[in-house]
Amino acid sequence: MTETAPSAAAETARGRNPLAFLDAEIEDFKAKGLYRRLRVVEGEQKSRCIVDGREVITLSSNNYLGLNTHPRLRSAAEAALRELGAGSGAVRTIAGTMRIHEELERRLADFKHVEAVLTFQSGFTCNTGVIPILAGESAVIVSDALNHASIIDGIRLTKAERRIFPHADMEALRSALRDVRAAPGGAERTVLVITDGVFSMDGDIARLPEIVAAAEEAEAIVYVDDAHASGVLGRNGRGSVDHFDLHGRVQVQVGTLSKAIGVLGGYVAGPASLREVLIHRARPFLFSTSHPPAVAAACLAAIDVLESEPQLIERLWENTRYFKAGLAGLGFETGASETPITPVIVGSGARAMKLSDGLFEEGVFAQGIGFPTVPEDRSRVRTIVTAEHTRAELDACLAAFETVGRALAII
Ligand SMILES: *Cc1c(COP(=O)(O)O)cnc(C)c1O
């Protein structure tokens, strides 16, 4: 391991290092036990892989269905690379819209049963691109407290009024909507209700039927970010709207192509008018280069796989049930999870990092997560099982949790 050079080396001949506050911040991470190095994966990202030179079973990827190395995605990407080259060469509005980008959007729109889809470079840029277009200065955004960072940043890019309701508190949501409509001029305002479809740190599913009912009563727009539901929930992985059979009642759905889909990208699915306005105004779309054609080709192949190999999603859910039951049987606190994301909640950030480090020693890679991603006293090791994990691998993970959990007196 190379040590960071001492700050003295960075000091200029003229005196104090103007970046010294960074060193202070690093010391602070270390003092709080939150200092992390990036772990490096050698070779492919699979359920069993080499991390920091050590073979481990990973419970840390979002590769729910193992599609990142699926033969059909690999060959689609290879063919596109050979035929169309490595990059698209421009932003979409100048010369960077290739036939294959439009083909992917048409295919995703059909898959999601909506009029139109627009893709973005990532799920993150999708939220930061779309939210400011929907929420002008006079709008009100009503947002769940545990929504993803990219939603929070998207909201920060607007001048709209914000109302954050406590996580999954439907009474608070309804009362925020009533207040907004009852206030002077409230009847005229655009109101946008935003929620994750599956909450990324806790693994619970949004109470979408109630959210939709509340929004319909208040004539508000519903915006669901299905990053962790894409490829996981609903028929063939169509997401939370399909899971709850709410087609036609959720105006804006965001999805990611970076998690279960196995590649990279984000997309927004909704009415054709939304796509039209976005291609004129969404800033990440206008000012950042489009996906390499191999990315679009691999995503197209992924939709083929979702439609033709539903057994992958079945296996994902079987593994999920098995692993959750195992953790609960050992006495771990796993919160309100209903999906393949299962947090093992242990309290302080330092304790979560110790559990994560101990698991790594036992050959299991499960990342510790603390503040600011989750509240300090709800720090956790987050686990995600995939369709690729074998029963033997899941058993080995549970045995490691038992050993380290007992050593740290968590169970
Ligand atoms: C992961 C995630 C994103 C970001 O998606 P990327 O494609 O990885 O940028 C956006 N929203 C939610 C809810 C997420 O969980």
Side-chain angles (χ1 to χ4, degrees), residues 122-124 127 148 150 196 198 200 225 227-228 256-259 265-266:
S122 69
F124 198 107
N127 280 325
H148 189 257
S150 57
D196 279 17
V198 169
S200 53
D225 177 349
H228 281 283
T256 182
L257 302 165
S258 324
K259 290 175 177 151

Side-chain angles (χ1 to χ4, degrees), residues 12-348:
T12 61
R14 270 173 284 162
R16 241 166 53 82
N17 171 13
L19 289 176
F21 62 89
L22 296 177
D23 298 316
E25 200 166 333
I26 292 164
E27 286 315 312
D28 194 46
F29 295 144
K30 287 182 175 166
K32 290 184 174 139
L34 296 176
Y35 180 75
R36 306 304 283 166
R37 288 183 196 285
L38 298 179
R39 295 212 188 265
V40 178
V41 178
E42 301 290 343
E44 293 180 348
Q45 176 78 261
K46 305 281 283 181
S47 61
R48 196 180 280 278
C49 57
I50 313 286
V51 178
D52 280 354
R54 180 182 186 129
E55 185 176 317
V56 292
I57 302 164
T58 183
L59 293 172
S60 293
S61 85
N62 295 318
N63 188 28
Y64 289 102
L65 303 173
L67 295 194
N68 68 329
T69 53
H70 192 288
R72 287 165 79 178
L73 275 75
R74 240 194 248 273
S75 53
E78 276 168 4
L81 180 67
R82 274 194 308 274
E83 285 161 29
L84 300 167
S88 72
V91 304
R92 294 275 301 270
T93 45
I94 306 290
T97 298
M98 302 175 85
R99 174 73 56 216
I100 199 162
H101 293 130
E102 299 233 302
E103 211 183 304
L104 173 60
E105 290 170 342
R106 192 61 259 149
R107 189 75 200 283
L108 280 168
D110 293 343
F111 181 69
K112 297 285 283 184
H113 304 315
V114 298
E115 277 179 10
V117 157
L118 190 69
T119 54
F120 286 77
Q121 298 83 356
S122 69
F124 198 107
T125 50
C126 185
N127 280 325
T128 58
V130 176
I131 293 170
I133 304 307
L134 291 170
E137 211 162 326
S138 65
V140 186
I141 299 173
V142 184
S143 177
D144 187 289
L146 292 190
N147 278 344
H148 189 257
S150 57
I151 293 175
I152 296 170
D153 284 14
I155 295 172
R156 284 179 180 153
L157 291 171
T158 75
K159 294 196 174 110
E161 181 187 334
R162 314 109 216 242
R163 291 184 176 234
I164 311 302
F165 61 94
H167 176 54
D169 183 339
M170 294 297 109
E171 194 40 54
L173 166 65
R174 283 188 286 268
S175 114
L177 289 170
R178 275 195 302 269
D179 285 358
V180 168
R181 287 303 186 208
E188 313 306 321
R189 301 173 82 179
T190 295
V191 180
L192 181 61
V193 178
I194 308 186
T195 183
D196 279 17
V198 169
F199 288 86
S200 53
M201 290 299 142
D202 291 83
D204 54 326
I205 302 172
R207 294 159 76 168
L208 213 47
E210 288 171 76
I211 293 172
V212 166
E216 282 174 348
E217 196 168 321
E219 295 180 17
I221 303 163
V222 179
Y223 181 118
V224 178
D225 177 349
D226 255 350
H228 281 283
S230 310
V232 174
L233 283 185
R235 283 167 301 154
N236 304 86
R238 282 181 171 78
S240 59
V241 170
D242 192 80
H243 173 76
F244 287 114
D245 200 12
L246 292 167
H247 290 286
R249 297 173 67 192
V250 170
Q251 291 78 14
V252 184
Q253 298 176 61
V254 163
T256 182
L257 302 165
S258 324
K259 290 175 177 151
I261 309 305
V263 196
L264 173 70
Y267 64 90
V268 59
S273 57
L274 174 62
R275 185 178 188 276
E276 294 272 293
V277 172
L278 289 170
I279 67 175
H280 290 84
R281 290 189 48 214
R283 293 170 70 83
F285 184 84
L286 295 175
F287 298 107
S288 185
T289 299
S290 55
H291 279 148
V295 168
C299 291
L300 277 161
I303 302 168
D304 289 340
V305 172
L306 290 181
E307 287 182 333
S308 62
E309 298 180 36
Q311 64 274 20
L312 285 175
I313 300 180
E314 282 159 25
R315 191 155 352 114
L316 170 68
W317 282 95
E318 273 165 32
N319 281 347
T320 297
R321 283 187 287 271
Y322 183 77
F323 193 64
K324 271 189 201 308
L327 284 174
L330 289 172
F332 285 104
E333 192 204 329
T334 55
S337 169
E338 308 163 80
T339 64
I341 301 174
T342 308
V344 175
I345 300 166
V346 299
S348 73

